[in-house]
């Protein structure tokens, strides 16, 4: 090796080899990546559905703490709570457990469970210690959704509870509310679950739930009535007070049964509709399908006549007043009171068969027969003397002039006549006019003179009485004493054992003997008149 050669020149070139095995440095990141991916997959696969629920208030709710429960089993938890965009509601975001997404449809209901007392029962008392939670009533059928509007009031009946729902139609709600009990023969078998206005707005629809197996007691002829409060009635048997329970007195209630003497009929179907009667007695009334509206004009005061007042014939109700108004009749140029009568002709038994055959286009043959052939008239009469309530009485007056059945606005018009109250008022007016003609002042003066004369007469009678008592009475008393003495003497003279009586008796006896002798002498002379000349003679037996 020469001095000119450097170490770098003398060194052999290095050879590089590519490693075919994985370096240990990459093992750890790869393992972490695999574990992370598995954890992500596991979290995503176990993650439940996320839903949003809108409530009017977030009272009692806390993010990360408030649970969602079904039958006291936790199935989810509230994640966040925020205000809605319109600031009218709060939006609650909650995550449910895996597998509950099949219950998320538009028929599933959520509400906030709190302590409350309703219909005489208490619920949610555990929330006083554990705090409020969100309850859920899942449904299997419906349109899928993850956005819900929470209920403000906890539902009374939840899905899965055996029984049936029924609808009741009432004129007004009264004291009914959600949760009030429904009774069958004083046993609670259900409760009210909801209420609201009917589509036409004229009635109130009340939904009730009857638990199984009692729902089979609701048949086609079942009738529901409002059993709220006390049912007080006074009859010949005395005072009767009836109620379903103490709860109905405080918070109200409903009851149902089949009217007496009526067959139950078949079992009612789910969501069947029934009429809600006001009292138990009202369910015994017959129901009629035929209803007619008649019109009556009254030209007098209708004070005391109200909607619902009865319409009667011979004292029997056949309908009720359905409308009262006041109009100005331009033709007559006077005020008139049209009254609508809602009448059920079927209440008059057999009358529909007895009326003449209906003419073509005739819609009221019964009323035409009543008015034109029987002289039907409408009249206001007093139904209650204490309250002054009036009723419409339909009667037949053959002495009234004949009238034809008129129609107005498509309604038949019944002729009217003055009511009993109007007749009484006219009688009172006639009496008042007659009394005005009586000369009460002259009668008063004459009566005053008569009183003065009567006073003088009474005074003179008093003087005469005193004179009679002082002068005449002593003399009269002395005369009565002398008369009594004379009567005693007469009694002693003609008494039973007196000499006069004895002598009179003896004289009468001798007179009787004399009369007997004369009778014998007369008999002898009649038989032997010759004895007056020749004597008595001898008897034949003495010869």
């Amino acid at each position: 090796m020469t001095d000119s050669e450097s170490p770098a020149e003398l060194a052999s070139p290095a050879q590089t080899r590519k490693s075919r095995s994985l370096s240990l440095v990459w093992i750890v990141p790869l393992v972490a990546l695999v574990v992370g991916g598995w954890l992500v997959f596991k979290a995503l696969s176990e993650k439940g559905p996320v839903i949003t629920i809108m409530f009017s208030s977030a009272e009692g709710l806390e993010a990360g703490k408030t649970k969602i429960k079904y039958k006291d089993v936790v199935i989810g938890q509230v994640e966040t709570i925020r205000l809605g965009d319109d600031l009218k509601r709060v939006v609650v975001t909650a995550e449910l457990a895996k597998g509950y997404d099949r219950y998320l449809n538009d028929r599933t209901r959520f509400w906030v469970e709190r302590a409350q007392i309703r219909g005489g029962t208490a619920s949610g008392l555990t929330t006083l210690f554990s705090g409020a939670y969100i309850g859920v009533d899942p449904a299997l059928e419906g349109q899928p959704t993850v956005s819900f509007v929470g209920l403000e009031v906890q539902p009374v009946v939840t899905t899965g509870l055996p029984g049936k729902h029924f609808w009741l139609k009432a004129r007004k709600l009264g004291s009914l509310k959600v949760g009030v009990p429904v009774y069958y023969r004083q046993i609670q078998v259900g409760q009210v679950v909801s209420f609201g206005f009917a589509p036409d707005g004229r009635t109130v629809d009340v939904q009730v739930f009857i638990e199984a197996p009692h729902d089979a007691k609701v048949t086609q002829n079942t009738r529901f009535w409002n059993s709220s409060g006390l049912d007080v009635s006074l009859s010949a048997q005395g005072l009767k007070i009836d109620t379903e329970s103490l709860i109905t007195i405080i918070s109200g209630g409903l009851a149902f049964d089949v009217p007496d003497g009526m067959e139950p009929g078949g079992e009612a179907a789910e969501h069947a509709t029934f009429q809600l009667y006001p009292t138990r007695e009202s369910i015994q009334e017959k129901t009629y399908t035929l209803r007619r509206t008649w019109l009556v004009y009254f030209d007098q005061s209708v004070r005391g006549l109200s909607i619902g007042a009865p319409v009667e014939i011979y004292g029997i109700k056949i309908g009720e007043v359905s409308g009262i108004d006041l109009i100005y009749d331009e033709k007559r140029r006077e005020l008139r009171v049209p009254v609508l009568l809602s009448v059920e002709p079927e209440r008059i038994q057999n009358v529909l068969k007895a009326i003449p055959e209906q003419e073509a286009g005739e819609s009221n043959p019964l009323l035409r027969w009543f008015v034109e052939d029987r002289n039907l008239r409408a009249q206001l009469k007093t139904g209650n003397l204490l309250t002054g309530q009036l009723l419409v009485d339909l009667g037949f007056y053959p002495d009234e002039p004949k009238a034809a059945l008129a129609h107005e606005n498509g309604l038949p018009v019944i002729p009217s006549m003055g009511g009993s109250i109007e007749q009484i008022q006219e009688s009172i007016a006639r009496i008042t006019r007659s009394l005005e003609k009586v000369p009460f002042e002259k009668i008063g003066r004459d009566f005053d003179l008569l009183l003065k004369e009567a006073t003088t007469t009474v005074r003179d009678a008093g003087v005469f009485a005193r004179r009679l008592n002082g002068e005449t009475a002593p003399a009269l008393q002395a005369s009565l004493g002398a008369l009594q003495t004379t009567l005693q003497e007469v009694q002693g003279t003609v008494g039973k054992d007196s000499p006069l009586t004895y002598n009179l008796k003896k004289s009468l006896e001798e007179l009787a003997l004399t009369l007997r002798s004369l009778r014998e002498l007369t008999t002898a002379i009649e038989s032997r008149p010759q004895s007056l000349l020749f004597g008595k003679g001898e008897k034949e037996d003495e010869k």
Side-chain angles (χ1 to χ4, degrees), residues 53-252:
I53 311 171
M54 290 186 292
F55 293 103
S56 60
S57 172
E59 179 183 1
L61 303 180
E62 295 185 46
K65 293 184 178 181
T66 301
K67 307 297 183 181
I68 299 178
K69 296 182 179 181
Y70 175 64
K71 294 184 177 181
D72 288 335
V73 176
V74 178
I75 63 172
Q77 180 174 293
V78 174
E79 298 294 334
T80 60
I81 301 175
R82 62 180 179 83
L83 288 173
D85 297 336
D86 55 0
L87 301 181
K88 294 181 179 181
R89 294 177 176 271
V90 295
V91 179
V92 176
T93 302
E95 181 181 348
L96 303 181
K98 182 181 179 181
Y100 286 93
D101 49 351
R102 61 180 179 147
Y103 302 108
L104 301 180
N105 53 67
D106 55 359
R107 300 185 60 181
T108 297
R109 301 177 293 177
F110 293 87
W111 68 91
V112 178
E113 184 76 26
R114 300 185 181 93
Q116 59 180 339
I117 298 177
R118 183 173 57 187
T121 60
S123 62
L125 297 181
T126 56
T127 59
L128 295 175
F129 305 98
S130 61
Y133 63 88
I134 297 178
V136 59
D137 179 27
L140 293 175
E141 298 179 357
Q143 297 296 326
T145 182
V146 292
S147 298
F148 301 90
V149 177
L151 302 178
E152 299 300 327
V153 180
Q154 176 186 353
V156 177
V157 180
T158 57
T159 303
L161 186 63
K164 291 181 181 179
H165 291 83
F166 301 101
W167 288 96
L168 311 179
K169 287 190 173 294
R171 289 187 175 181
K172 57 183 181 179
L173 184 63
S175 60
L176 299 179
K177 56 184 179 181
V178 174
V180 300
V182 179
Y183 294 91
Y184 176 72
R185 298 183 180 180
Q186 296 186 336
I187 299 177
Q188 183 176 351
V189 296
Q191 52 191 323
V192 176
V193 297
S194 67
F195 57 84
F197 287 108
D200 58 3
R202 294 185 176 182
T203 59
V204 176
D205 289 342
V206 180
Q207 187 182 28
V208 298
F209 179 79
I210 308 300
E211 302 173 1
H214 308 296
D215 56 341
K217 302 295 183 182
V218 182
T219 60
Q220 295 175 353
N221 293 329
T222 293
R223 295 186 179 179
F224 290 78
W225 71 88
N226 193 328
S227 61
S228 303
L230 292 174
D231 184 9
V232 182
S233 60
L234 182 62
S235 62
Q237 288 75 28
L239 182 65
K240 179 182 178 182
I241 301 177
D242 187 21
T243 183
E244 295 295 330
S245 68
L246 182 62
I247 295 176
T248 60
I249 299 177
I250 300 175
S251 60

